[in-house]
Amino acid sequence: DIQMTQSPSSLSASVGDRVTITCRASQTVISYLSWYQQKPGKAPNLLIYAASSLQTGVPSRFSGSGSGTEFTLTITSLQPEDFATYYCHQSYRIPYTFGQGTKLEIK
Amino acid sequence: QVQLQESGPGLVKPSETLSLTCTVSGASINSSFWSWIRQSPGKGLEWIGYIYYSGSANYNPSLQSRATISADTSKNQFSLRLTSVTAADTAVYYCARRRDGTGRLDYWGQGALVTVS
């Protein structure tokens, strides 16, 4: 199985900050990498797909980059509604796998 | 607007079979891939498998052949059966649409908590 490792596991930041979350794959996933935001009691919500494509309706302060085994999700100018848990997900090789999550908390 | 809604028993006894149905509206299941994902309490996300509109399916080998995903195109629904459940199968089960070849899961159901006890 392809292991997806996110760092950091948790992160404290303030409104207006810029944050970056990293996702590393144990082997290449090409660009079959997506990012999801999950709030408590809710289903995950797609933010980024194909490593760097912004899903329709997602604010432009979210961006993704990377290919192969290393990927990043960047949020510029954090808003109060951005405090949530973020997951990366590879859909290159079955079994598809998710990162363990990064919890973004208010400082 | 595409919507997915999970339904099924919230409590299943150990060694019995978990059965969930996902009803899709706003899109036909005769296209795309239709997936099941679960999340154990306080844990991360686990991909269970998907079914393609043609009827072919793929599963997570970690479930050791206990999972079966099927589709009923006449009702625009797809279903999950998980046999021989244990407490480790207690989770929130989500259905989701895999949109295209990029693998993105663009629409999700609200989730259904299934407790094995």
Side-chain angles (χ1 to χ4, degrees):
Chain A
D1 297 6
I2 298 177
Q3 306 302 317
M4 307 299 291
T5 303
Q6 291 181 229
S7 60
S9 295
S10 63
L11 176 60
S12 293
S14 301
V15 172
D17 284 354
R18 171 191 174 103
V19 299
T20 297
I21 299 169
T22 297
C23 178
R24 289 187 172 87
S26 61
Q27 57 186 275
T28 186
V29 298
I30 317 296
S31 292
Y32 290 86
L33 191 286
S34 48
W35 289 95
Y36 300 83
Q37 176 194 68
Q38 187 178 35
K39 295 181 178 179
K42 300 293 188 182
N45 181 52
L46 175 65
L47 302 173
I48 301 289
Y49 66 96
S52 60
S53 296
L54 190 67
Q55 174 68 2
T56 302
V58 174
S60 59
R61 62 181 180 273
F62 292 92
S63 64
S65 65
S67 66
T69 62
E70 187 151 337
F71 302 87
T72 58
L73 172 71
T74 299
I75 313 171
T76 57
S77 189
L78 273 173
Q79 299 300 299
E81 61 268 28
D82 299 338
F83 293 93
T85 300
Y86 293 84
Y87 294 93
C88 60
H89 170 58
Q90 68 83 14
S91 52
Y92 176 61
R93 192 175 298 281
I94 287 172
Y96 301 152
T97 47
F98 292 85
Q100 82 280 14
T102 294
K103 187 172 184 178
L104 178 55
E105 299 174 305
I106 300 174
K107 186 182 289 183
Chain B
Q1 175 74 348
V2 179
Q3 292 184 316
L4 292 83
Q5 177 70 57
E6 303 90 350
S7 59
L11 182 63
V12 181
K13 291 181 169 57
S15 80
E16 294 192 346
T17 297
L18 178 159
S19 295
L20 292 171
T21 295
C22 183
T23 300
V24 179
S25 59
S28 170
I29 66 167
N30 284 321
S31 65
S32 303
F33 297 80
W34 302 92
S35 308
W36 288 97
I37 298 106
R38 69 182 181 180
Q39 186 169 34
S40 302
K43 299 277 181 69
L45 297 157
E46 180 181 26
W47 177 79
I48 296 171
Y50 67 69
I51 189 165
Y52 191 44
Y53 74 93
S54 64
S56 63
N58 273 292
Y59 303 99
N60 193 325
S62 70
L63 295 170
Q64 298 175 316
S65 303
R66 296 189 294 127
T68 301
I69 300 174
S70 58
D72 184 339
T73 56
S74 67
K75 296 181 179 178
N76 218 38
Q77 296 174 332
F78 63 105
S79 299
L80 170 69
R81 289 182 75 250
L82 187 64
T83 61
S84 303
V85 297
T86 69
D89 295 308
T90 293
V92 175
Y93 286 77
Y94 295 102
C95 56
R97 183 179 80 168
R98 176 186 161 180
R99 171 67 184 272
D100 52 27
T102 66
R104 57 177 156 161
L105 299 164
D106 63 345
Y107 287 98
W108 296 62
Q110 64 185 25
L113 174 61
V114 179
T115 300
V116 179
S117 179

